[in-house]
Amino acid sequence: MYQQIVDSIINNISNRNIVINEKLPSINLINEDFYLSRDTVQKAYNILKERNIIVSIPRRCYYVTNIVTAPKLNVLFLINKLSTYKMRIHNSFLNKIGSGYLVYF
C-alpha cells in the first residue's frame, strides 16, 4: 500500500497535478480518507523524503521540493540457481545498464 501512495504522488508530480512548494495532505487526512494505517502513510512519506521529493516541516506539513523527471524502470533478472558464475553475470549486467533501472533478482 505504501508503494501505491509513493507512485501516486510521483505520478501526480510528473503530470503537473502537484507542483513545487505545494502542500501535501497530512498523514492523518490520508489515513482517515483512505482507511489506511498511519504507519503505511508515514512509510510512504519517508520514502519520498529519502528521495528528496518532499520535505517535512515538523508539526506542520509536507511540501513538494523536487520535480520528478523520469521514474526508474523495473528490471527482473531471473536466475534458477545462484552460483559464482551467475553472480558475475548479474554484477556485469548491473554495471552495464547504469543507474536508470531498479533490478530485482
Side-chain angles (χ1 to χ4, degrees):
M1 291 305 283
Y2 70 89
Q3 190 61 46
Q4 290 178 352
I5 298 169
V6 170
D7 292 341
S8 174
I9 291 173
I10 290 173
N11 286 335
N12 279 305
I13 292 170
S14 296
N15 294 333
R16 308 231 190 269
N17 295 330
I18 301 174
V19 295
I20 291 180
N21 297 326
E22 185 170 339
K23 181 179 172 181
L24 292 177
S26 70
I27 291 173
N28 291 332
L29 184 63
I30 294 175
N31 176 22
E32 292 169 5
D33 287 351
F34 296 103
Y35 303 106
L36 296 172
S37 131
R38 190 175 188 335
D39 292 337
T40 301
V41 181
Q42 182 70 47
K43 186 171 184 177
Y45 276 20
N46 286 338
I47 290 170
L48 291 168
K49 281 173 40 178
E50 288 172 8
R51 294 183 187 175
N52 296 320
I53 295 171
I54 66 172
V55 65
S56 66
I57 298 174
R59 301 189 188 269
R60 291 240 172 133
C61 56
Y62 293 86
Y63 287 96
V64 176
T65 61
N66 194 5
I67 296 297
V68 178
T69 54
K72 292 187 175 192
L73 298 174
N74 294 323
V75 175
L76 179 61
F77 191 88
L78 290 174
I79 298 174
N80 59 350
K81 286 187 178 179
L82 190 59
S83 67
T84 306
Y85 172 73
K86 291 177 183 174
M87 201 61 194
R88 284 189 299 193
I89 292 172
H90 174 262
N91 292 336
S92 176
F93 177 76
L94 288 178
N95 290 335
K96 292 292 180 185
I97 65 170
S99 64
Y101 301 90
L102 292 174
V103 179
Y104 302 95
F105 78 103

